[in-house]
Amino acid sequence: MSALPRLTVLGTGYLGATHAICMAVLGYEVLGVDTDAAKIAALTDGRVPFYEPGLPEMLRKALDSGRLRFSTDIAEAAAFGDVHFVCVGTPQAADSPAADLRYVDQVVSSLAPNLTRRCLVVGKSTVPVGTAARLTSMLQSLSPAATDVELAWNPEFLREGFAVEDTLRPDRLVFGVASDWALEQLQASFAPLLEAEVPVVVTDLPTAELVKVAANSFLATKISFINAMAEVCEQTGADVQQLAASLAYDPRIGGRFLRPGLGFGGGCLPKDIRAFIHRAEELGVGQAVSFLREVDAINGRRRQRTVDLIRAQAGGSLAGVTVCALGAAFKPDSDDIRDAPALDVARLLVAEGAVVRVYDPQAMENARKAYPDLHYASGVAEAASGADVVALLTEWDQFRDLDPSWLGSLVGHRKIVDGRHALDPVSWQAAGWDYRALGRAA
C-alpha cells in the first residue's frame, strides 16, 4: 500500500460526509459512498444535506481539488480504496434500548465480497463493545482476500457545530488495532494530524469501542449532576448558577459541561448511554453502570420541569396560553432535532392546551417534517407577537443577543422562562420581565 493510502468513507451522513470532506482537504484521495442517491447527488453538486458551520466551504474546496468524489457503488469503493472507513449510523433500536447495528452489518456484508486484496476496514461508528470481533469474522469469512483484510477501530468525537475543527484539529486520536500492519495503515491515513502532534492512544479493539460510550456517559453524568443540583436548589432557594461557578474553580471538577438547564439531547448521548446499559447487562456487569439509568431519568425530568415553570408563569394553567418557543434544534449551530429537548417541551405544552409558536434559525424544516402539528413562525417577531410566555429552549447566539425591551414591545406579557441559562437575568428584569430559570428561586 502507498505511503498515502486512498480512502473510502462508507456512509455520508453527518459523520461520514464530514470525514470524507476533511480528509480530502488534508490531501488524501477520497471516495464517499452511500446508498442514498439523492444525498450523493447533493454532495457531488457541492451541497451539504445538513447544517454544519464551515462544512459547505470545505466541501467546495475538496471538490475543486479533484481529490473528492462520491458514488453509490460499493464495488467501486472496494476497487478504489486501501483504507475503508465505516461511518454509518447506529440508532437506538425501535423495540429496545440496544443499538441498532443493521446499517453497520449491511455495509460490511456488502463491502466484504468485493475485497480481493490486502486492505484495512476501519470502524468509526459508535458500537457496543464486542462488535469489532464479530465484524472481523464477518469480513474475513465473506472476503475473497480472507485474512488479508483486517479491521481496526477509530472512534469519532465530533461535536455538532464544531465538526470541522474536531476533524482537522482533534484533541486526540484513538487507534484500536490487532496488528502492527493495521497501526501503520492508520498512521498513514492520519499522517498530517500526527505531524501536527495530535495525541494518539494506541490500544486494542475492545478498548477503542468503549472509549466513545465511556466519554459520552461521563459527559451525560456531569450534565445530569448539575441538573440534579438544580432540583435541590429549586426547593431550598439556592442558586444553581452560583453553585456551578463555585464547583468549576475546583480543578478536579472543572466547569465544562457543568451547565444547568433543559438537559442533553441529540443523536449521541441519549441513545449511547441506553445502549451502554443494555450491553453491560448482556455482559453480566449491568450493576456497574446502573447509575446511568438515573442520569437518563434526571435528564428527562428537566423537560417536564421546564413545562412546570412555563405553566407557573402562565398563572397555573396552559389552556389557551400562547407560548413563544425559541429553539427546536437540540443544540445551537445545528439543525439536528433528534431527541431535542426543545421540541419535547413544545409538544408537552400543546398537550396541555397551549398555543405554541416555534422558531429556530436552522432546524425549522426538520422540525416541520417530524412534528407537523406544531405552529412554526418565520422569525422571532412573529413567534413572540402577543405571547403570554416566552421560553428560550435552544441557546442560539441570536436569542442570547435579543434586546429585552424590543421583545417586550411585541409580547402580550413580559414573562420568560430561560431553559438554558443563556440570558442575563438582571438586564431582563430591568426591562420589566418576570424572569424564571431552572434551579433559581422565583
Side-chain angles (χ1 to χ4, degrees), residues 274-288:
R274 294 164 194 159
F276 191 20
I277 295 167
H278 181 85
R279 182 58 176 151
E281 289 175 341
E282 288 181 334
L283 295 169
V285 290
Q287 188 173 1

Side-chain angles (χ1 to χ4, degrees), residues 387-388 404-405 407-409 411-416 431-435:
D388 298 301
S405 297
L407 194 65
S409 70
V411 298
H413 300 90
R414 295 193 181 196
K415 295 178 179 291
I416 190 165
W433 286 82
D434 181 357
Y435 174 94

